[in-house]
Amino acid sequence: MKRYAMTGGATGIGAALRKQLSAAGHEVISIDIKEGDIIADLSTQEGRDRALAEVHARAADGLDGFIACAGLPPVAPPRIIAAVNYFAAVVMAAGLRDLVGKRRGTVLLVSSNSAPMMPTAHPLVQAFLADDEAPALEIAEGEAGQTVYAGSKHALTVWMRRNVVSWAKEGVRLNAIAPGITDTPLTQQVFADEDLGDVMRDFSASVPWGKTAQPEQIANVMRFMLSDEADFVCGSVFFVDGGSDAMLRSDQF
Ligand code: NAD
């Protein structure tokens, strides 16, 4: 039996993963704003600090893994998207590094197939990577929700790749999964949006391998990435998107 901590386990992809891991006999400490073992608003540093303290109290002898799944859709306020999708993920991962290191475990970040749509050189992505939250949130405030969403996921993926070597020296594998459109409350919010709804519906109709994934299809791959069977998977970005990234960026990998 392994012990995992995760954020965003209340609904959608995170709930599917939490249920699969629990059904396999693993212990899961779920941190979420809605419901879970630890209730915390991870858009705030106070919420993150409290969640980190509680995970340390519950898992003093270590974690086999941490999964940063909490995230907000492009239709949420840009500052909050930035705070949750990027800063909560990296602050929680860094804050649990000691516990994951104790068990030579693994960290899995949840990116998106929208991440490659932003360049690393974009000022917002650079602001995320500069690791100073207040100015990054200011820049996010002036951008469209889709830009902040894709930018946060791009920066998260670059953060993971930049940190692979130093974490690997401590025996910890870092990876990211990049889901495509998945049938979750997040996607339902986007579909219901006046501006983005039609765009997303058109995009989902173009996905080569069907329209949308079910959360369990994403969780299946996440469970593999966390497992010992994936113990040479390190620094990888797994697109689980029905072929949409291959369709849009055929010549890049
Ligand atoms: P979801 O809305 O079902 O799940 C998001 C979870 O994050 C919920 O449990 C929610 O309560 C939690 N959360 C939100 N704000 C929080 C906060 N401030 N503090 C703590 N917890 C908070 O959506 P989902 O689609 O399952 O999304 C899970 C992850 O997958 C997100 O990071 C999302 O960006 C990513 N993703 C989703 C899709 C998709 O199409 N659904 C595609 C690519 C990536």
Side-chain angles (χ1 to χ4, degrees):
M1 187 186 97
K2 294 188 187 288
R3 180 195 286 142
Y4 298 101
M6 69 180 297
T7 67
T11 61
I13 295 168
L17 179 67
R18 175 176 53 74
K19 286 177 196 160
Q20 289 184 2
L21 291 173
S22 301
H26 303 302
E27 179 186 349
V28 182
I29 302 169
S30 177
I31 307 152
D32 201 281
I33 195 168
K34 286 187 196 140
E35 60 177 63
D37 304 298
I38 300 169
I39 305 294
D41 178 356
L42 298 175
S43 70
T44 69
Q45 191 55 41
E46 183 277 324
R48 298 169 199 156
D49 288 341
R50 196 164 40 74
L52 287 170
E54 287 196 38
V55 177
H56 277 82
R58 286 169 184 253
D61 59 341
L63 290 169
D64 296 289
F66 168 65
I67 308 105
C69 197
L72 288 165
V75 295
R79 283 181 84 91
I80 313 290
I81 303 173
V84 176
N85 292 16
Y86 181 78
F87 287 101
V90 302
V91 168
M92 293 299 292
L96 297 174
R97 184 173 181 162
D98 57 340
L99 294 184
V100 182
K102 272 188 186 174
R103 294 196 179 186
R104 300 177 75 78
T106 183
V107 170
L108 179 57
L109 302 175
V110 179
S111 179
S112 162
N113 69 339
S114 65
M117 295 172 191
M118 288 283 285
T120 305
H122 190 286
L124 178 63
V125 174
Q126 288 298 312
F128 283 132
L129 293 168
D131 206 24
D132 193 355
E133 187 162 0
L137 298 196
E138 282 302 309
I139 296 175
E141 181 98 58
E143 296 281 358
Q146 310 95 288
T147 304
V148 180
Y149 184 85
S152 68
K153 297 299 188 180
H154 186 104
L156 192 58
T157 311
V158 172
W159 181 92
M160 181 279 287
R161 306 236 334 147
R162 285 184 179 175
N163 279 280
V164 158
V165 174
S166 74
W167 289 59
K169 284 183 183 148
E170 296 165 17
V172 176
R173 295 186 292 119
L174 297 187
N175 290 290
I177 187 161
I181 303 179
T182 308
D183 188 8
T184 69
L186 178 150
T187 297
Q188 283 151 20
Q189 285 180 65
V190 183
F191 280 171
D193 186 73
E194 222 172 87
D195 299 323
L196 285 183
D198 285 343
V199 179
M200 281 295 275
R201 262 185 293 277
D202 286 350
F203 181 56
S204 73
S206 76
V207 173
W209 199 259
K211 290 182 176 179
T212 55
Q214 291 307 306
E216 294 73 19
Q217 291 177 288
I218 309 299
N220 288 339
V221 180
M222 296 170 80
R223 199 159 35 83
F224 164 71
M225 293 173 85
L226 293 166
S227 75
D228 292 342
E229 286 173 295
D231 63 1
F232 203 58
V233 178
C234 186
S236 297
V237 185
F238 275 27
F239 286 85
V240 184
D241 66 353
S244 55
D245 183 64
M247 175 181 72
L248 294 172
R249 301 188 310 131
S250 311
D251 291 3
Q252 287 157 287
F253 56 89

